[in-house]
């Protein structure tokens, strides 16, 4: 933690402290990271040789590790790739290697050359139930699939092509997360080594939206609101959840008075979303709206606390009732986030609020597919970069990953080998408690900013905040309104004391900006 005795002097450039600080090394800040580093020789010492121009830069190391873990996840799917996907439902669940990708190659008409949204599908699902950009991703993979022979061979090749495209998304995510916080690239190791990431990466196509969202947050951290908005709009065209990030951004820009930047981002997001959706909306309206009607009509499904309620009580809940109550709970969560944002003693960081709002959506939703954890992993690495809390949460998610497949094995096997409903309810509870624990730690960091790892380690304000980083508060409520404004501004030719954030007598940098 920075001490009051540490000082840095800036003579010619006010941005020296922000851009020329050395990278934060987690092995010297995080006890769990320090202990884990003993496997490769222990924490780096003060005089450790660094080669900024060498090949193994932090970003490249993180990217290579993320790709390596992704490859291990592909290996984990090999029993299904070789035979279990094609020999009944039970084997793919007992091996824990299920994926939607090969099944939907046949089930959504790609094997027959049908065009998503335009061509009607045989069976109960009349049109593809995915957002337009994800549908385009699926179609491009189908066009690249030139395999001949049996349907099994075509499905195998289709999965491999999608896995290759999703591996590119993984590399993009790793690079973006590593670069979002300028002086904290090693925080992205949380993402690269996350076991739940490797296990769920090729279940579905969520990594496309996650990659676009990560790129959007990188653009915002660099003070480029229009690029942020465009990328966020594209992410929303691939999956619905990224649009939720505009809510926290609105609150933070309100508190900091950055209305122009927020308007630019919002308009960019709306424009990008329309560019992708409008052609399909006009030319194939029935197919386009299927994603939205399917989401609205979907019954209570796996992973939600709603499922625990129905299984424990034995009473079904009408889908309209669930939609209403889930919406009300989400609104209450957003109100709570708004109060937290405007009343916190120091303006929360963007990544913290992004994690909270996406987690609220996950917790209140009527379905939680195991790959939804991918939405939170990059946000968790930026919001709470501490290995202990991250691994506790990941352990809960891995237990849920195992639980859902064992439960499905139990329900699809006449001999009922697997996990019964009571055991699956425990797995759901672990997922819910693990997510709540992570959110609780983030809320604590917001209420006690001196406990925030990012601000504690290097005295940063909001390295992912872009124009919000170091900005003065313009609108606050509650206790925050009675505290002096916290800024990270520095002026030329002044001496700046680095202090422990949140202490009673701590002073921000003095001088005009």
């Amino acid at each position: 933690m920075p001490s009051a005795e540490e000082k840095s002097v800036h003579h010619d450039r006010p941005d020296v402290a922000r851009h020329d600080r050395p990278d934060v090394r987690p092995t010297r800040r995080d006890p769990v990271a320090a202990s884990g580093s003993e496997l490769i020789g222990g924490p780096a010492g003060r005089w450790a040789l660094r080669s900024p121009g060498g090949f193994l830069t932090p970003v490249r190391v993180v990217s290579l590790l993320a790709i390596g873990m992704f490859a291990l996840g592909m290996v984990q799917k090999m029993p299904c790739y070789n035979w279990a996907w094609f020999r009944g439902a039970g084997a793919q669940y007992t091996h824990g290697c299920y994926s939607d990708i090969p099944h939907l190659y046949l089930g959504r008409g790609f094997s027959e050359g049908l065009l998503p949204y335009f061509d009607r599908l045989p069976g109960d699902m009349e049109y593809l139930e995915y957002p337009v950009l994800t549908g385009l991703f699926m179609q491009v993979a189908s066009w690249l699939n030139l395999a001949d022979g049996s349907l099994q061979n075509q499905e195998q090749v289709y999965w491999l092509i999608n896995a290759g495209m999703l591996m590119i998304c993984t590399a993009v995510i790793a690079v973006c997360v590593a670069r979002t916080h300028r002086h904290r690239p090693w925080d992205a190791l949380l993402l690269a080594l996350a076991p739940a990431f490797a296990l769920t990466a090729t279940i579905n196509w969520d990594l496309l939206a996650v990659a676009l969202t990560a790129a959007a947050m990188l653009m915002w951290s660099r003070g480029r609101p229009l690029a942020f908005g465009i990328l966020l709009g594209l992410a929303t065209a691939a999956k619905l959840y990224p649009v939720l990030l505009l809510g926290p951004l609105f609150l933070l820009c309100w508190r900091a008075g950055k209305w122009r930047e927020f308007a630019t981002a919002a308009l960019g997001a709306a424009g990008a979303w329309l560019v992708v959706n409008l052609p399909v909306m006009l030319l194939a309206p029935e197919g386009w709206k299927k994603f939205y009607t399917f989401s609205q009509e979907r019954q209570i499904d796996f992973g939600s606390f709603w499922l625990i309620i129905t299984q424990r009580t034995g009473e079904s809940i009408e889908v309209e009732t669930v939609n209403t109550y889930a919406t009300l709970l989400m609104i209450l969560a957003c109100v709570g986030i708004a109060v937290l944002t405007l009343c916190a003693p120091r303006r929360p960081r963007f990544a913290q609020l992004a994690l909270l709002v996406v987690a609220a959506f996950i917790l209140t939703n009527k379905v939680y597919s195991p790959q939804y954890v991918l939405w939170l992993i990059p946000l968790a690495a930026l919001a709470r970069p501490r290995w202990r809390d991250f691994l506790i949460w990941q352990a809960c998610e891995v237990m849920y990953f195992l639980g859902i497949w064992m439960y499905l094995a139990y329900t699809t096997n006449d001999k009922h080998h697997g996990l019964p409903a009571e055991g699956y309810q425990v797995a759901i509870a672990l997922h819910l408690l693990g997510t709540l624990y992570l959110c609780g730690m983030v809320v604590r960091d917001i209420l006690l900013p001196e406990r925030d790892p990012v601000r504690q380690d290097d005295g940063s304000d909001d390295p992912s905040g872009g124009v919000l980083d170091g900005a003065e508060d313009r609108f606050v409520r509650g206790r925050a309104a009675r505290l002096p404004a916290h800024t990270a501004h520095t002026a030329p030719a002044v001496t700046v004391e680095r202090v422990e954030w949140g202490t009673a007598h701590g002073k921000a940098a003095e001088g005009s900006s």
Side-chain angles (χ1 to χ4, degrees):
M1 179 181 295
S3 65
E5 289 74 26
E6 292 178 339
K7 298 182 180 180
S8 58
V9 181
H10 312 287
H11 296 291
D12 299 321
R13 293 176 54 195
D15 61 341
V16 169
R18 183 172 299 180
H19 298 301
D20 287 358
R21 290 198 307 266
D23 290 343
V24 173
R25 288 177 285 178
T27 55
R28 298 179 64 86
R29 303 283 186 173
D30 188 328
V32 176
S35 299
S37 70
E38 295 295 338
L39 296 173
I40 55 173
R46 177 181 299 181
W47 306 110
L49 181 63
R50 300 187 192 91
S51 179
F55 177 77
L56 291 179
T57 62
V59 173
R60 288 172 179 168
V61 170
V62 167
S63 301
L64 290 173
L65 287 173
I67 292 172
M69 287 293 288
F70 184 96
L72 288 177
M74 292 180 65
V75 172
Q76 188 265 337
K77 298 291 187 290
M78 282 299 103
C80 281
Y81 176 85
N82 290 327
W83 62 276
W85 285 332
F86 316 105
R87 299 183 186 177
Q92 60 188 335
Y93 300 140
T94 56
H95 286 81
C97 53
Y98 174 84
S99 172
D100 287 326
I101 294 172
H103 297 299
L104 294 187
Y105 177 70
L106 173 64
R108 296 302 178 265
F110 294 105
S111 62
E112 302 175 14
L114 299 182
L115 192 63
Y117 313 110
F118 291 86
D119 294 333
R120 196 181 188 92
L121 301 173
D124 296 335
M125 190 65 67
E126 298 176 340
Y127 295 98
L128 183 67
E129 74 280 22
Y130 285 83
V132 172
L133 199 59
T134 297
L136 177 61
F137 190 94
M138 299 162 74
Q139 182 61 58
V140 169
S142 178
W143 285 332
L144 294 174
N145 185 2
L146 303 178
D148 296 323
S150 67
L151 178 61
Q152 175 177 332
N153 183 53
Q154 293 178 40
E155 290 180 346
Q156 289 173 322
V157 174
Y158 185 67
W159 181 81
L160 285 174
I161 292 170
N162 277 279
M165 295 166 67
L166 293 172
M167 182 180 287
I168 295 172
C169 293
T170 297
V172 170
I173 296 166
V175 170
C176 291
V177 173
R179 296 187 63 190
T180 295
H181 290 177
R182 288 183 185 273
H183 302 290
R184 306 183 61 92
W186 295 112
D187 289 345
L189 283 176
L190 294 163
L191 159 79
L193 300 178
F197 192 104
L199 291 170
T200 62
T202 58
I203 290 179
N204 203 279
W205 293 270
D206 292 62
L207 282 182
L208 173 62
V210 176
L212 290 167
T213 304
M217 293 193 69
L218 174 61
M219 290 298 100
W220 182 263
S221 73
R222 297 299 188 263
R224 300 174 64 182
L226 181 59
F228 164 83
I230 292 172
L231 287 166
L232 193 72
L234 294 175
T236 306
K239 206 76 178 178
L240 186 60
Y241 87 90
V243 74
L244 296 172
L245 271 62
L246 288 177
L249 195 63
F250 169 79
L251 295 170
L252 293 171
C253 290
W254 184 8
R255 179 161 173 167
K258 300 293 183 180
W259 292 114
R260 178 180 297 177
E261 289 81 359
F262 175 78
T264 301
L267 290 174
W273 185 87
L274 282 172
V275 166
V276 173
N277 282 270
L278 195 58
V280 182
M281 192 188 309
L282 294 176
L283 298 175
E286 291 299 316
W288 174 82
K289 70 179 183 181
K290 184 60 182 178
F291 164 69
Y292 302 97
T293 58
F294 174 76
S295 300
Q296 185 177 15
E297 297 168 358
R298 189 172 189 175
Q299 300 290 329
I300 292 173
D301 213 333
F302 298 113
S304 69
F305 76 92
W306 303 103
L307 184 63
I308 295 179
I309 294 173
T310 57
Q311 289 186 345
R312 298 300 296 177
T313 62
E315 300 289 337
S316 62
I317 306 176
E318 294 295 331
V319 65
E320 294 83 4
T321 303
V322 175
N323 289 340
T324 301
Y325 282 113
T327 301
L328 289 175
L329 287 174
M330 184 62 187
I331 291 173
L332 287 175
C334 290
V335 170
I337 292 172
V339 172
L340 181 66
T341 303
L342 299 177
C343 298
R346 189 172 177 196
R347 188 172 59 247
R349 294 187 290 109
F350 180 33
Q352 292 174 319
L353 296 186
L355 180 136
L356 291 179
V357 74
V358 175
F361 180 71
I362 285 175
L363 291 170
T364 59
N365 203 5
K366 58 188 175 182
V367 59
Y368 178 74
S369 299
Q371 73 271 11
Y372 289 1
V373 69
L374 297 170
W375 305 356
L376 287 178
I377 290 175
L379 300 177
L382 297 172
R384 178 67 187 170
R386 281 293 183 264
W387 279 95
R388 183 200 65 179
D389 302 321
F390 187 83
L391 290 176
I392 290 172
W393 170 58
Q394 283 289 288
C396 294
E397 293 295 338
V398 170
M399 293 300 295
Y400 176 74
F401 176 87
L402 298 174
I404 187 173
W405 305 132
M406 292 301 100
Y407 173 65
L408 286 169
Y410 180 87
T411 58
T412 56
N413 191 312
D414 293 337
K415 297 181 180 180
H416 293 302
H417 292 162
L419 193 66
E422 293 78 9
Y424 180 52
Q425 292 162 17
V426 172
I428 295 174
L430 283 173
H431 145 66
L432 296 171
L433 291 173
T435 305
L436 286 170
Y437 171 78
L438 183 64
C439 292
M441 299 304 295
V442 172
V443 170
R444 187 197 68 170
D445 292 342
I446 293 173
L447 295 175
L448 301 173
E450 68 272 15
R451 305 290 294 272
D452 182 357
V454 173
R455 288 167 170 166
Q456 184 186 72
D457 287 349
D458 60 359
S460 296
D461 176 41
D462 185 1
S464 62
V467 296
L468 300 168
D469 188 20
E472 294 185 13
D473 284 334
R474 301 297 183 186
F475 181 87
V476 290
R477 285 292 181 266
R479 178 183 165 216
R482 300 188 294 272
L483 294 175
H486 292 283
T487 87
H489 289 172
T490 59
V494 295
T495 300
V496 181
E497 290 187 342
R498 296 180 64 195
V499 302
E500 295 184 8
W501 296 111
T503 55
H505 303 288
K507 296 189 296 181
E510 298 177 357
S512 58
S513 58

